Amino acid sequence: MTTIIETKKKVQLEIDGKTVLAPEGATILEAARAVGVRIPTLCYHEALSPIGSCRVCVVEVEGVDRPATACNTQALDGMRVVTRSERLFNLRREVIRMILAHHPLNCSPCPKNGDCELQDIAYEYDLAPNDFGSYSIKTEEYPWKEFSTPILDYHPRRCVLCGRCVKVCKEIRGLGAITMAGPGALASIQPALADPESPSRCVSCGECMRVCPVNAIEERMGGGKGKPWETEKTATTCAYCGVGCSLELNVVNGKVVGVTTDDAAGVNKGRLCSKGRFGYAFIHSGERLGKPLMRNEKGELEETTWTKALTKVAREFRRTLAEHGPDSIAGLSSARCTNEENYLFQRFIRQAIGSNNVDHCARL
Amino acid sequence: MTNSIAEIEEADVIVITGTNTTENHPIIAQRIKRAVERRDARLVVADPRRIDLVEQANYWLRQKPGTDVAWLNGIMHWIIKNNLHDKEYIDERCEGFEELAREVESYTPEQVESITGIPASDLIAVAELIGKSDKTTFLYAMGITQHVTGTDAVKSVANLAMLTGNVGRRGTGVNPLRGQNNVQGACDMGALPSSLPGYASVADDSARRKIAAVWGVDSLPSKPGLTVTEMMPAILKGEIRALYVMGENPALSDANITHIEEALDKVDFLVVQDIFLTETAARADVVLPGASWAEKDGTFTNTERRAQRVRAAVQPLGSCYPDWRIIQRLFQLMGFSADYASPEQIFNEIRRVVPSYAGISYSRLEKGGIQWPCPDIDHPGTEFLHAEGFKRGKGLMTAIPYKPAAELTDDEYPMILTTGRIQYHYHTGTMTRRCPSLETLAPEATLEINPSDAERIGVSDGDMVKVSSRRGKISLRARVSGMVEKGVVFTTFHFSEAPVNRLTNDALDPVAKIPELKVCAVRVEKG
Ligand code: SF4
Ligand code: SF4
Ligand code: SF4
Ligand code: FES
């Protein structure tokens, strides 16, 4: 945990009539959040430095003509800020209307429907699909543009050009695998041209997908469909490397269909690598073993029952024990199994077999 | 790790060696990059390959594979010679300094350059940097340990850390990065031939008595058992007759697998518990289908000693059972009682047996992971070890001479092969290769080869090559790349189609019994 040394001076300002003491350097948005004043945002993301592209967060600062964007304007001593007014409401509504003018609004086929930051804000500002000539989410989508990795699809129509994905790739990943290119509203996110050996190549971590406020970046080979309200999330720990990232398995109808994260949880604070985020399909692989197997007279492995399989194992262990003693049996436990299973396994070898011949593959 | 992942961002100097962190521990690599970019920490990379982090590094020491002890001794030589070591710290907390100082005396920068290929001036600059900085953290992984001299290299890292007072303080430490999710936990739980749960030696009578009392038995075996790398030869010698393998795939992951296959075929009785019919399970007499990670409850302990919950998200597939249930059933069939109703009950027994876990409970873990040692329920857990001094009294510095790798190149096998991982796959690929996304990103093994070697052999990027060693032969596609130095080739062990462990050497480090997976002599041909 980083200790932040509070040497910074405080500034005092007023937001919607409330007095706020904020550390020097804080933005108006941070100061407002500290006293529970909500300013709507779209491009802003807590894990990233401010982008300032969408203008949804406009506020009025006394003495300043043009409304300021709260997410990237510094809070200054003596400032008087208003976050709610008819003028601001109309301004924000106009900004969102511009975004929605080229974002398809037939939300029902969209998997993000119900968990979409754009949908929420459109609802808040009373904008409905029939305010625009709406696009169909499917037919207008093709052809897709090639993204920076073959495992993600990018949908330019859905993209609201907030710039979060570009920022996250640069700030958190330390890469710059994607950029925004093209004129104004016709801009899109494109892979940055990089040599395949350069450290700024895409590593398929999916961080861009994680921070996208809409559904513009999607897993191409995702685990299946499921709407947010039918998805159950189970918090668990990644099964791959020793970092032990926290993640949530998203389950629909008894099937894992995706992985999400909690920005506040664990050692990774919402971040994952490609294995953690996309390495779940094996769970439902058709090649999983579903029944015990035992070698038959012909020497082939054949399905059997648990009772037969386990009785055979216990009998063979007993026989070997009787004929050759405990040190003629050995067990390999697993660095992939849980603590509880490893504990029980070594207890089995030490107690039931009576040998210390137990190890796991940490050495490999 | 003696210290925590988050503390990496507090170090002034970060030394990483034998770990392509960007590929193996991406989330840690991000922390390193951030420390460099935002806090201006100095980064030293010691690696034979031009790994991604080299781009960010202030110094890149490109040692010849297998020469880690030599360059580490060289750094210590310079530090001691120039009085940059932390004398007060050494006096107070360490022993063995005199012997160490005598040993490293001959490792002059020029001498080290001739062994390792690291320019003397770079070695001196890094020695000065570490010697003069307040906090240095040392991160390493299998690139250091998978050599016949692996234990030596780990001790050398510890020597250097103690010499410069970099153990027992925030933002410092000797920090092995664990490759597999629960290596730390498996070791803590005593899945080791010479230690009981909690690391007491099996030869320690009072520790054995204490555990025997909890398990309700009169005595436990005191003779150390065999390591995984000793079990296979023991099978071939007829000493081991039955083998129980849970969730491991030695037929692909171990060195010199031709040897392993022979052993697995020879053993009288092989039982394998896994979720797929792995190369190992295919040779079993009985295969028991376990539940996958998404189907079971329990805990994992990460590389910074943090115990964290694993929770079942879906029901076990078919008639699979979680591994703990299968072992419990076998216990009963062998005539013992093992009555646990849940993993939590097993965990509560662990808390009684392993003192450093005593204060960790499932209900506390609901609020997030806890780092051991955590001796009681009010203890917050421990971010970094040895704050109050070393467990054994004084930190032991050991004099370690450099020894060359077990297998050297010759005319027949003129190149060095080193092995490792890529970030899209895990271990032998049993899980990741069944995930379409990850398989798309890396569908096949490739052999990284330096452009000049490629030209000499007459292969271009994407051509098939044959790689042979004294033990076997594989074919795979060449990837011509400046990542590796001339004379060195690199590949991964994730792919059963090109099982690199047909080639690797099963010569063992005499103490840790780790095979020399990182260095073996090979010949590369077009074809
Ligand atoms: S997947 Fe990761 S590396 Fe690739 S573009 Fe997205 S954020 Fe960047
Ligand atoms: S893809 Fe998503 S995150 Fe990126 S600019 Fe478009 S809407 Fe924003
Ligand atoms: S998400 Fe990636 S870095 Fe995190 S634990 Fe899993 S494999 Fe390791
Ligand atoms: S949230 Fe402030 S400009 Fe987008």
Side-chain angles (χ1 to χ4, degrees):
Chain A
M1 259 128 275
T2 3
T3 29
I4 296 158
I5 307 152
E6 290 282 352
T7 51
K8 280 200 179 146
K9 282 204 311 233
K10 297 264 184 185
V11 293
Q12 186 172 330
L13 64 160
E14 203 186 284
I15 300 178
D16 290 350
K18 290 187 186 176
T19 305
V20 189
L21 265 182
E24 196 172 39
T27 60
I28 296 176
L29 180 67
E30 285 162 343
R33 288 191 174 182
V35 288
V37 172
R38 181 177 166 276
I39 300 172
T41 55
L42 185 59
C43 68
Y44 177 80
H45 190 283
E46 267 177 41
L48 304 172
S49 62
I51 300 166
S53 67
C54 73
R55 298 193 59 80
V56 165
C57 65
V58 283
V59 294
E60 293 187 84
V61 178
E62 199 182 87
V64 182
D65 261 3
R66 270 169 62 90
T69 42
C71 69
N72 62 352
T73 305
Q74 208 178 316
L76 298 176
D77 214 27
M79 240 183 198
R80 290 160 75 102
V81 178
V82 172
T83 76
R84 285 182 183 261
S85 70
E86 202 181 320
R87 179 178 174 222
L88 288 175
F89 185 88
N90 289 331
L91 266 176
R92 289 181 191 145
R93 195 166 191 272
E94 207 42 44
V95 164
I96 301 159
R97 184 200 290 275
M98 290 303 288
I99 294 169
L100 290 175
H102 56 102
H103 181 93
L105 266 182
N106 56 335
C107 290
S108 52
C110 177
K112 198 107 178 167
N113 182 13
D115 180 26
C116 170
E117 294 177 47
L118 181 64
Q119 198 180 42
D120 291 350
I121 209 158
Y123 175 75
E124 186 180 342
Y125 284 82
D126 275 340
L127 290 158
N130 47 10
D131 293 354
F132 319 93
S134 101
Y135 294 102
S136 157
I137 198 165
K138 293 281 184 200
T139 52
E140 297 272 336
E141 288 296 304
Y142 299 94
W144 290 322
K145 287 202 179 181
E146 214 34 66
F147 198 53
S148 56
T149 159
I151 68 169
L152 293 176
D153 279 326
Y154 168 66
H155 306 280
R157 280 290 188 204
R158 301 180 200 170
C159 174
V160 299
L161 298 173
C162 66
R164 279 186 190 177
C165 53
V166 175
K167 195 85 168 180
V168 81
C169 193
K170 192 108 200 116
E171 280 189 4
I172 292 189
R173 292 296 316 172
L175 299 172
I178 45 178
T179 54
M180 199 183 290
L186 294 177
S188 65
I189 304 301
Q190 294 171 13
L193 290 176
D195 122 45
E197 281 192 13
S198 113
S200 66
R201 74 192 191 282
C202 173
V203 294
S204 305
C205 62
E207 289 293 304
C208 47
M209 175 180 89
R210 164 192 154 219
V211 297
C212 181
V214 292
N215 188 40
I217 302 176
E218 226 180 2
E219 246 180 289
R220 180 173 292 178
M221 289 156 271
K225 292 185 164 181
K227 286 294 167 67
W229 54 86
E230 52 181 8
T231 305
E232 247 178 88
K233 294 186 180 186
T234 303
T236 188
T237 305
C238 178
Y240 295 110
C241 86
V243 175
C245 294
S246 299
L247 52 81
E248 301 159 339
L249 290 176
N250 288 211
V251 176
V252 175
N253 282 330
K255 191 165 176 249
V256 179
V257 297
V259 168
T260 50
T261 49
D262 172 347
D263 287 352
V267 292
N268 51 316
K269 304 277 177 273
R271 301 185 292 258
L272 292 174
C273 79
S274 56
K275 291 191 293 295
R277 200 180 304 278
F278 303 114
Y280 58 87
F282 79 91
I283 299 164
H284 304 290
S285 158
E287 293 173 69
R288 280 279 303 274
L289 293 167
K291 288 208 173 82
L293 306 174
M294 199 150 76
R295 219 162 271 284
N296 60 21
E297 303 84 55
K298 283 186 274 169
E300 296 157 345
L301 283 172
E302 190 179 73
E303 285 192 355
T304 183
T305 63
W306 275 105
T307 313
K308 282 198 187 127
L310 289 171
T311 317
K312 164 91 175 161
V313 175
R315 200 170 53 230
E316 289 294 332
F317 282 164
R318 279 223 184 92
R319 195 177 53 81
T320 313
L321 271 177
E323 289 172 14
H324 305 283
D327 285 333
S328 66
I329 300 180
L332 275 185
S333 193
S334 173
R336 264 163 274 180
C337 286
T338 62
N339 287 330
E340 291 75 1
E341 288 159 345
N342 274 287
Y343 174 82
L344 210 56
F345 189 89
Q346 62 84 36
R347 183 174 165 181
F348 178 80
I349 301 291
R350 293 200 157 101
Q351 181 182 351
I353 304 293
S355 167
N356 283 312
N357 285 339
V358 56
D359 199 5
H360 65 281
C361 289
R363 291 178 178 80
L364 305 171
Chain B
M1 287 171 77
T2 58
N3 291 57
S4 299
I5 293 168
E7 285 172 51
I8 295 171
E9 289 187 53
E10 295 173 42
D12 302 313
V13 180
I14 302 170
V15 178
I16 63 165
T17 179
T19 152
N20 184 0
T21 322
T22 324
E23 297 283 344
N24 298 333
H25 301 92
I27 300 295
I28 291 183
Q30 289 171 28
R31 297 238 181 218
I32 297 172
K33 285 183 180 168
R34 267 212 311 230
V36 172
E37 277 162 17
R38 302 201 184 160
R39 288 195 49 257
D40 209 20
R42 308 274 114 181
L43 177 63
V44 177
V45 174
D47 205 293
R49 294 173 71 216
R50 188 188 184 93
I51 58 172
D52 275 357
L53 283 173
V54 165
E55 232 52 51
Q56 247 99 9
N58 299 87
Y59 297 97
W60 176 30
L61 309 180
R62 189 176 217 178
Q63 79 276 34
K64 293 206 182 94
T67 62
D68 295 306
V69 171
W71 71 262
L72 286 160
N73 277 351
I75 301 245
M76 290 188 271
H77 167 96
W78 191 263
I79 287 179
I80 295 172
K81 193 173 146 212
N82 292 283
N83 257 313
L84 296 171
H85 50 300
D86 191 336
K87 286 164 237 42
E88 210 177 300
Y89 180 94
I90 297 167
D91 278 351
E92 212 174 287
R93 305 186 49 167
C94 308
E95 59 191 25
F97 173 72
E98 300 305 323
E99 291 80 353
L100 176 67
R102 255 199 309 281
E103 178 61 48
V104 301
E105 216 175 295
S106 60
Y107 290 80
T108 61
E110 296 70 32
Q111 173 69 14
V112 171
E113 175 167 348
S114 72
I115 302 172
T116 64
I118 297 170
S121 56
D122 286 358
L123 191 87
I124 293 172
V126 170
E128 299 262 328
L129 177 67
I130 297 172
K132 289 178 179 163
S133 304
D134 178 29
K135 293 180 189 172
T136 301
T137 179
F138 298 89
L139 308 174
Y140 67 89
M142 291 299 190
I144 277 277
T145 55
Q146 285 180 348
H147 292 288
V148 275
T149 52
T151 309
D152 285 355
V154 170
K155 282 191 194 148
S156 294
V157 174
N159 281 341
L160 175 56
M162 286 188 275
L163 187 72
T164 49
N166 280 310
V167 181
R169 292 187 297 133
R170 290 191 70 82
T172 67
V174 179
N175 299 306
L177 305 179
R178 308 294 194 173
Q180 299 186 58
N181 57 332
N182 204 28
V183 170
Q184 184 68 52
C187 294
D188 297 348
M189 294 304 115
L192 292 169
S194 52
S195 20
L196 297 165
Y199 299 101
S201 159
V202 293
D204 176 341
D205 294 335
S206 81
R208 266 198 338 274
R209 260 201 305 277
K210 203 187 133 211
I211 292 180
V214 176
W215 295 351
V217 292
D218 296 335
S219 69
L220 287 170
S222 60
K223 185 179 132 215
L226 300 181
T227 64
V228 47
T229 40
E230 292 168 318
M231 285 174 191
M232 301 301 160
I235 291 173
L236 293 173
K237 277 189 269 168
E239 290 161 13
I240 299 271
R241 303 290 185 134
L243 182 65
Y244 180 5
V245 178
M246 170 173 83
E248 293 279 5
N249 190 13
L252 205 53
S253 64
D254 288 22
N256 192 2
I257 49 182
T258 310
H259 219 92
I260 305 286
E261 285 165 355
E262 248 174 81
L264 295 177
D265 287 338
K266 168 153 197 225
V267 72
D268 292 349
F269 183 68
L270 174 65
V271 49
V272 175
Q273 192 165 309
D274 211 312
I275 61 173
F276 292 110
L277 195 66
T278 61
E279 289 74 13
T280 307
R283 297 185 138 75
D285 298 289
V286 175
V287 181
L288 306 172
S292 80
W293 141 86
E295 299 157 359
K296 58 193 181 189
D297 287 305
T299 55
F300 288 153
T301 303
N302 80 352
T303 191
E304 52 166 7
R305 298 167 279 103
R306 185 184 299 278
Q308 308 191 97
R309 274 301 310 276
V310 177
R311 295 184 185 84
V314 290
Q315 288 293 315
L317 184 106
S319 70
C320 296
Y321 279 108
D323 294 295
W324 68 271
R325 280 212 187 272
I326 303 174
I327 309 165
Q328 180 176 31
R329 199 67 200 107
L330 277 175
F331 245 117
Q332 289 158 349
L333 288 169
M334 297 285 291
F336 295 87
S337 71
D339 300 319
Y340 305 101
S342 65
E344 184 171 7
Q345 285 189 3
I346 304 175
F347 192 81
N348 286 337
E349 182 177 310
I350 294 169
R351 296 170 61 196
R352 288 167 60 207
V353 171
V354 181
S356 55
Y357 278 72
I360 306 174
S361 69
Y362 270 35
S363 62
R364 283 188 79 186
L365 291 179
E366 283 304 308
K367 291 189 223 70
I370 298 175
Q371 287 174 286
W372 67 255
C374 177
D376 60 68
I377 204 83
D378 300 314
H379 193 284
T382 307
E383 276 182 81
F384 59 96
L385 301 178
H386 313 304
E388 317 285 337
F390 295 99
K391 206 170 157 194
R392 59 177 295 279
K394 287 206 165 184
L396 182 63
M397 298 172 133
T398 5
I400 297 180
Y402 159 72
K403 289 195 254 20
E407 188 169 83
L408 298 172
T409 53
D410 58 16
D411 287 345
E412 212 188 338
Y413 300 103
M415 301 187 79
I416 295 178
L417 167 74
T418 91
T419 65
R421 301 157 191 253
I422 48 171
Q423 60 180 312
Y424 306 125
H425 286 299
Y426 178 68
H427 223 62
T428 62
T430 47
M431 302 188 319
T432 49
R433 294 206 62 202
R434 289 179 173 92
C435 297
S437 292
L438 300 174
E439 185 64 3
T440 303
L441 293 170
E444 63 173 0
T446 53
L447 184 81
E448 284 179 11
I449 181 167
N450 185 280
S452 67
D453 290 323
E455 201 186 303
R456 185 172 49 77
I457 302 164
V459 297
S460 354
D461 198 61
D463 285 356
M464 291 302 285
V465 286
K466 261 207 309 283
V467 189
S468 39
S469 79
R470 295 186 176 94
R471 290 154 295 274
K473 185 160 65 200
I474 61 171
S475 314
L476 70 176
R477 222 172 271 291
R479 207 167 107 55
V480 178
S481 155
M483 283 277 280
V484 287
E485 204 180 356
K486 201 162 160 272
V488 179
V489 287
F490 170 86
T491 191
T492 60
F493 63 101
H494 308 302
F495 300 89
S496 57
E497 308 89 313
V500 66
N501 285 322
R502 286 240 178 273
L503 312 177
T504 49
N505 191 353
D506 47 359
L508 298 183
D509 173 292
V511 179
K513 317 279 185 192
I514 302 179
E516 184 147 80
L517 290 172
K518 293 294 175 205
V519 184
C520 82
V522 294
R523 184 176 62 241
V524 181
E525 294 156 297
K526 204 177 164 139

